[in-house]
Amino acid sequence: MRISVLGSTGSIGTQTLDVARVRGDRVTALAAGSNLDLLEAQVREFRPDVVSVHPARVAEARARLTGVRVTGDVEEIAVQDADVVVGAIPGLAGLAPARAALEAGRALALATKEAMVVASTLVWDAAARGGGRIVPIDSEHTSLYQLLIGEDLADVEELIVTASGGPFRTGPADLSGVTAAEALRHPTWAMGRRITIDSSTLFNKGLEVLEASALYGLPLSRVKVLVHPQSVVHGLVRMRGGNVKAHFSAPDMRLPIVYALGAAPHGMTRPGDVRAAPRLDWPGSDFSLARPLEFFEPDFGRFPCLGLAYRAGERGGVAPAALNAADEIAVEAFLEGRIGYLDIARINEAVLEETPDAPLGWDDLREADTWARARAAELAGAPRAAGVTS
């Protein structure tokens, strides 16, 4: 299989290349940002035809990377001829290449959460125009898709995504003194710094709720969250007849990546699309099911960011984009020690309340993102500002 990887030096990108290495996939293109050291190692091993880097690093990359064409245009990488394009560039930076890939009719294995959270209608429009296909990589959404194969959505009562609960599920009772080092100690997953903090506040789970609603067309009221500390059940589907289906797997992102790569060229139409894929025994992936499993309702009072995501989704328009942008700035401020842990939710709420109602278009999206970042930065830099600190 020929694959191109957008965001090759990030967590999902490097794990995708782990999978490609074992499967023997042909990596035709790589898109990175500024991590030229890692990109250089990837180019030496996988020998892609073309790579993209941040425009400011093109000259340096061309001097370092021999035998490969270097561009500063990530959208050029997105439309390269490949069986699957892996979209793993985080944030709004991942939207333009995802749109380009879909408009070019590519099969997109999508890990860029923001695409569906802040711009789902625009992304689906791009897919409709170009004939592109979308398969989610995120473990929860891949599990839901596998559970929904063969089912009529009219028979689905609700979708359920699971959350580990993060490092603060059971304590401390007072989260005001939580440090960045404590919040970064996720009990299950090894992820980037922002997503790890978002997992500790359950904001990331809120984004996954919005993503599930956008991917499968169910209203937010029918997308629920269960806290599941063992992190081996990644999604559940409750049918109208009362049955509940659950998806089990080890907490290893390479497993949903394998599924997405196998399913994307066929649009995930049936299990037979990936039935012939080889079994890949990652360390720890052959986990035992003989263990106690626990499920709890989420505590919206303890984790207000989860409720804010639902509120933004119900408002629609540019509200999810503004909330997502505000959170990125607030998390950065927390990691830098400029605000407290509880200020993340307070800044997010303040920005969401101030976000004007506006229709969703590409220009509106960019304007809302820019405004929300500036407003969140203002709030983060104003100690004891109204609505920001207690």
Side-chain angles (χ1 to χ4, degrees), residues 107-183:
L108 180 65
L110 184 62
T112 302
K113 196 180 306 294
E114 287 80 3
M116 283 297 158
V117 169
V118 308
S120 61
T121 56
L122 302 178
V123 170
W124 282 125
D125 287 346
R129 284 194 302 272
R133 297 162 313 282
I134 299 173
V135 173
I137 283 181
D138 206 9
S139 60
E140 290 81 3
H141 301 99
T142 298
S143 69
L144 291 175
Y145 205 112
Q146 292 178 60
L147 293 169
L148 289 170
I149 289 174
E151 301 289 358
D152 186 337
L153 280 174
D155 296 328
V156 174
E157 178 66 26
E158 62 185 19
L159 305 177
I160 303 169
V161 295
T162 60
S164 71
F168 308 129
R169 181 177 65 86
T170 59
D174 182 3
L175 295 175
S176 61
V178 162
T179 67
E182 292 170 331

Side-chain angles (χ1 to χ4, degrees), residues 24-55:
D25 293 317
R26 166 84 169 100
V27 179
T28 61
L30 297 172
S34 299
N35 189 345
L36 296 189
D37 291 337
L38 180 52
L39 178 61
E40 186 174 10
Q42 293 174 345
V43 168
R44 283 199 305 268
E45 178 179 0
F46 294 98
R47 306 188 68 80
D49 302 319
V50 59
V51 301
S52 75
V53 297
H54 190 281

Side-chain angles (χ1 to χ4, degrees), residues 54-77:
H54 190 281
R57 306 296 296 275
V58 169
E60 181 184 357
R62 285 175 176 164
R64 292 180 58 173
L65 306 177
T66 58
V68 62
R69 185 164 62 85
V70 177
T71 177
D73 183 2
V74 66
E75 292 185 40
E76 181 181 346
I77 304 298

Side-chain angles (χ1 to χ4, degrees), residues 9 22-23 36 42 63 79 92 104 110 118 144-145 169 178 187 214 226 244 280 282 295 319 340 350 364 366:
T9 57
V22 174
R23 285 165 44 109
L36 296 189
Q42 293 174 345
V79 301
L92 287 192
L110 184 62
V118 308
L144 291 175
Y145 205 112
R169 181 177 65 86
V178 162
L226 276 180
V244 177
L280 304 179
W282 308 110
F295 298 91
D364 305 296
R366 285 186 285 269

Side-chain angles (χ1 to χ4, degrees), residues 51 67 101 136 138 144 186 194 222 274 277 302 305 309 314 346 357:
V51 301
D138 206 9
L144 291 175
H186 196 281
R194 183 203 168 185
R222 290 166 59 190
V274 294
R302 185 171 175 81
C305 284
E314 293 290 356
R346 292 175 181 143
D357 292 323

Side-chain angles (χ1 to χ4, degrees), residues 216-247:
Y216 309 119
L218 269 69
L220 285 172
S221 60
R222 290 166 59 190
V223 183
K224 304 295 178 59
V225 174
L226 276 180
V227 175
H228 169 53
Q230 291 76 31
S231 297
V232 297
V233 175
H234 303 289
L236 304 97
V237 174
R238 186 191 303 275
M239 309 303 294
R240 291 193 180 277
N243 291 331
V244 177
K245 302 167 66 175
H247 180 277

